[in-house]
Amino acid sequence: MTQEVFSELDLTTLLSLSFSTSINELHDRLRELGFADIRPVHGFMFKCIAPNGATGIELAEYLGITKQAVSKMVDYLEKSGYVIRENHPTDKRGKIIVLTERGWLAVKAKEEILTEIEQRWIEIIGTERLQMLKDDLTTLIYKANEDKSTMRSRPVW
Amino acid sequence: MTQEVFSELDLTTLLSLSFSTSINELHDRLRELGFADIRPVHGFMFKCIAPNGATGIELAEYLGITKQAVSKMVDYLEKSGYVIRENHPTDKRGKIIVLTERGWLAVKAKEEILTEIEQRWIEIIGTERLQMLKDDLTTLIYKANEDKSTMRSRPVW
DNA sequence: AAAATATAGTCAACTTGATTGACTACTTTT
DNA sequence: AAAAGTAGTCAATCAAGTTGACTATATTTT
């Protein structure tokens, strides 16, 4: 596989491939560490649950899926031991979903792996270029979404 | 929505969000142009079909899904008028999937929209920075996949 | 050349992750 | 107090993938 293969690719494809590359590596490593039952969406869900817990509705809005879909995902994560549902302190209708100890371990592992990946990318293109890359992507995401009231570009992983 | 919201995001999340942003815009625009029945995967499939057609197996390998799944997708795209199955010229077992006129229109529209998006991004961060971005992403994808025999990072759109 | 094996594609049944709709319990507004 | 709204669950359905079984043709082996 030569670099020329990629050189004519449009930006969207490049973003797609680079995202796939990093997310695949993240989950390969998580699997090695014993977190084989976590799928890409869960990682993003965890970000919303940590550090203070979240309600089903909050998660649904955050992920851009229905509350019913969230409920099923929480069923799965609860069964797998990553989260538990607690009663909401003030609203007797509601539940609040919080991370278990195992959930926190997964979050910590995820962060460490992402740092490792980023570190390796720094070794390839250098600190300055990686910072520019992050800055530019941040700017572009910001510009594309500033007019929208809700953040439509749901991150899927 | 302020830019600070994004500023602490890790690289993987930035890649995810920027990819979502561009793919959403692409399909919003395609919908406006009357191509509402195309989903993100189809775009990538079209890249393999054009310009010379492709067999089901080729598409399956390219997309990283089973040949049965490809067959269903082709059913859908054929019904929607984007492709047709022709008999393979040399192998009587095989079919060759080619773009119809409507299929070509969709591909052309897609390319134009992607160019527009890229152009708008140039207006935001400048030609040099966009070129650097593309170069860096290309390098990173290349480095991450050079050891692997098959390109595991399937682009999903 | 015949037989055995492999390959391209389709059909059918099943799985998974999402959807919509209906419902219960509780909260907020009027 | 009554009406309307909200949080969560249950059930049925849908969509996009999977595995397994099959037919027809190609290729390889003997």
Side-chain angles (χ1 to χ4, degrees):
Chain A
M1 182 152 22
T2 66
Q3 189 151 9
E4 285 80 56
V5 174
F6 304 120
S7 62
E8 308 129 24
L9 297 178
D10 60 87
L11 191 54
T12 305
T13 302
L14 288 173
L15 291 170
S16 171
L17 289 172
S18 49
F19 171 60
S20 302
T21 298
S22 54
I23 202 71
N24 283 340
E25 176 163 348
L26 170 60
H27 282 273
D28 285 350
R29 298 273 289 108
L30 282 174
R31 195 176 313 118
E32 287 167 15
L33 295 174
F35 298 111
D37 46 2
I38 297 181
R39 284 185 305 106
V41 234
H42 301 143
F44 200 76
M45 196 173 197
F46 285 174
K47 270 174 70 167
C48 189
I49 298 177
N52 301 316
T55 68
I57 299 273
E58 281 165 1
L59 289 170
E61 276 171 13
Y62 186 68
L63 296 173
I65 58 178
T66 60
K67 56 181 181 171
Q68 293 93 323
V70 166
S71 191
K72 285 188 192 178
M73 273 177 55
V74 172
D75 285 347
Y76 173 80
L77 289 174
E78 196 166 31
K79 203 178 58 187
S80 311
Y82 291 100
V83 305
I84 50 168
R85 279 180 247 238
E86 294 179 349
N87 290 323
H88 194 282
T90 59
D91 189 335
K92 282 188 187 166
R93 292 170 305 182
K95 306 280 176 66
I96 185 156
I97 296 135
V98 296
L99 291 177
T100 61
E101 197 174 341
R102 179 165 170 79
W104 279 108
L105 287 175
V107 168
K108 294 278 159 50
K110 191 199 70 179
E111 280 167 8
E112 279 169 29
I113 296 164
L114 289 181
T115 306
E116 275 174 38
I117 294 176
E118 209 158 313
Q119 194 54 46
R120 199 150 35 65
W121 286 30
I122 285 177
E123 282 162 23
I124 298 170
I125 62 171
T127 315
E128 297 77 18
R129 290 288 281 247
L130 191 85
Q131 193 55 51
M132 280 166 113
L133 189 103
K134 289 181 71 171
D135 289 348
D136 287 344
L137 290 177
T138 303
T139 304
L140 294 168
I141 296 165
Y142 172 64
K143 284 282 179 190
N145 292 284
E146 61 185 346
D147 53 326
K148 300 182 182 67
S149 57
T150 72
M151 177 75 169
R152 247 207 60 219
S153 41
R154 151 161 69 127
V156 178
W157 64 295
Chain B
M1 184 148 26
T2 65
Q3 190 151 6
E4 284 80 56
V5 176
F6 304 119
S7 61
E8 308 129 24
L9 297 178
D10 59 87
L11 190 55
T12 305
T13 302
L14 288 172
L15 292 170
S16 171
L17 289 172
S18 51
F19 171 61
S20 301
T21 298
S22 55
I23 202 72
N24 282 341
E25 176 162 347
L26 170 60
H27 283 273
D28 285 349
R29 299 271 291 109
L30 282 173
R31 195 176 314 119
E32 287 167 16
L33 295 174
F35 299 111
D37 46 3
I38 297 180
R39 286 185 303 106
V41 233
H42 301 144
F44 200 75
M45 196 171 197
F46 285 174
K47 271 174 69 168
C48 188
I49 298 176
N52 301 317
T55 66
I57 298 273
E58 282 165 358
L59 289 172
E61 276 171 14
Y62 186 68
L63 295 175
I65 57 178
T66 59
K67 56 183 182 172
Q68 293 93 323
V70 167
S71 191
K72 286 188 191 178
M73 274 177 53
V74 172
D75 285 347
Y76 173 80
L77 289 174
E78 195 167 31
K79 204 177 58 188
S80 312
Y82 291 100
V83 305
I84 50 168
R85 278 181 246 238
E86 292 179 349
N87 290 324
H88 194 282
T90 59
D91 189 335
K92 282 187 187 168
R93 294 168 303 178
K95 306 282 175 67
I96 185 157
I97 296 137
V98 296
L99 291 177
T100 61
E101 196 175 341
R102 178 164 171 79
W104 279 108
L105 287 176
V107 168
K108 292 279 158 52
K110 190 199 69 178
E111 280 167 6
E112 280 169 28
I113 296 164
L114 288 181
T115 306
E116 277 173 38
I117 293 176
E118 209 158 315
Q119 194 55 47
R120 200 152 33 67
W121 286 30
I122 286 176
E123 283 161 24
I124 298 171
I125 62 170
T127 315
E128 296 79 15
R129 290 288 281 247
L130 191 86
Q131 194 54 51
M132 281 165 116
L133 191 106
K134 290 180 70 171
D135 288 349
D136 287 344
L137 291 178
T138 303
T139 304
L140 294 169
I141 295 165
Y142 171 64
K143 283 282 178 188
N145 293 284
E146 63 185 344
D147 52 328
K148 301 182 180 67
S149 56
T150 72
M151 177 75 168
R152 249 207 59 219
S153 44
R154 149 163 71 129
V156 177
W157 64 295

